[in-house]
Amino acid sequence: GDEIKADMVDELARKHFPACMRNLHDNLKRDHHLKHFGRLQYGLFLKVLGLSIEEAMLFWRRSFSGYTDDQFNKNYKYNIRHSYGLEGKRANYPAKSCQQILTMDQPGSTDNHGCPYRHFSPDNLQTALLSMYSAQGLTSADIPEILSTVKAGHYHVACTRVFEITHANRGVKKGEGVGGGESITHPNQYASRSRELEK
Ligand code: SF4
């Protein structure tokens, strides 16, 4: 995609991110820290979104504001470079798909990675969705449908429904999904379609 800058991430998160990435972003802002799997899930997503290694370094350094340069360089720099294929095996790691996020590396109670539709309790999911998306038109009247979809185990369908509701003002109708009735299968697909609709 297009290049994005470190100082654009906050606005992009509020306007275009699916719940998994918005949750990681909000926790990072609140705690000035994310644990390993959270950094991995969010970092690879941001890479694919268009954050260069230089901008990624800037973004993570600023976000981890409670750490000295020395601590940051020692504990976090290598992993960020690694996810850009600049260390170790030098592999070009793709961002995780919904399927991978839903089934791999199950989050514990102090983790922020994973998929909120799958890994949050119904109460926490409801609170989180309203706090993330009421600015984009999600209301408490939408919640029962979303929770019953989640209860049936159709997490990506719930995520797709939230996409439709929060992009209704861009002309997206129920059942249309990310276009042509397609459901969300990847967080980057959610974000890029959302950005496309804004143009
Ligand atoms: Fe993220 Fe996929 Fe879950 Fe949506 S369904 S919140 S994009 S992991």
Side-chain angles (χ1 to χ4, degrees):
D2 314 337
E3 270 234 3
I4 62 165
K5 301 282 178 204
D7 58 16
M8 292 164 62
V9 174
D10 194 52
E11 191 186 341
L12 289 169
R14 276 184 280 115
K15 286 159 83 174
H16 302 299
F17 286 8
C20 53
M21 300 303 170
R22 175 68 189 271
N23 179 54
L24 284 165
H25 184 78
D26 291 350
N27 279 286
L28 176 60
K29 265 178 74 171
R30 192 196 60 204
D31 300 338
H32 310 290
H33 183 265
L34 282 178
K35 293 169 82 172
H36 173 75
F37 283 116
R39 295 198 305 275
L40 191 64
Q41 181 177 319
Y42 194 31
L44 291 173
F45 166 83
L46 291 174
K47 177 178 83 166
V48 172
L49 197 69
L51 203 64
S52 67
I53 178 66
E54 292 78 19
E55 292 294 318
M57 221 37 103
L58 208 59
F59 173 77
W60 289 104
R61 180 65 196 99
R62 283 178 189 158
S63 301
F64 277 53
S65 55
Y67 295 79
T68 64
D69 282 338
D70 203 41
Q71 288 169 325
F72 181 80
N73 292 342
K74 212 177 284 169
N75 298 313
Y76 304 110
K77 205 172 169 178
Y78 179 92
N79 278 120
I80 299 166
R81 288 178 48 81
H82 190 268
S83 63
Y84 277 76
L86 298 169
E87 303 281 1
K89 286 194 295 183
R90 298 185 174 259
N92 184 17
Y93 298 98
K96 291 185 194 303
S97 67
C98 295
Q99 190 58 27
Q100 289 173 307
I101 292 171
L102 286 165
T103 57
M104 293 163 66
D105 308 319
Q106 295 304 294
S109 60
T110 62
D111 288 314
N112 301 121
H113 68 277
C115 171
Y117 299 100
R118 165 144 204 187
H119 296 121
F120 282 17
S121 70
D123 273 359
N124 288 348
L125 179 61
Q126 167 164 353
T127 307
L129 289 176
L130 287 171
S131 114
M132 289 174 189
Y133 295 121
S134 52
Q136 285 151 285
L138 186 89
T139 70
S140 47
D142 298 313
I143 296 292
E145 182 194 355
I146 294 161
L147 290 185
S148 72
T149 308
V150 164
K151 203 172 164 201
H154 304 309
Y155 311 111
H156 68 287
V157 177
C159 184
T160 306
R161 186 69 196 117
V162 168
F163 181 93
E164 291 168 348
I165 293 164
T166 55
H167 294 80
N169 62 349
R170 298 278 168 190
V172 176
K173 298 193 174 56
K174 185 167 184 174
E176 238 173 53
V178 277
E182 210 187 311
S183 291
I184 304 290
T185 55
H186 199 291
N188 284 99
Q189 168 206 30
Y190 186 118
S192 63
R193 181 69 183 139
S194 176
R195 292 181 75 198
E196 214 172 271
L197 285 166
E198 197 186 44
K199 288 180 183 156

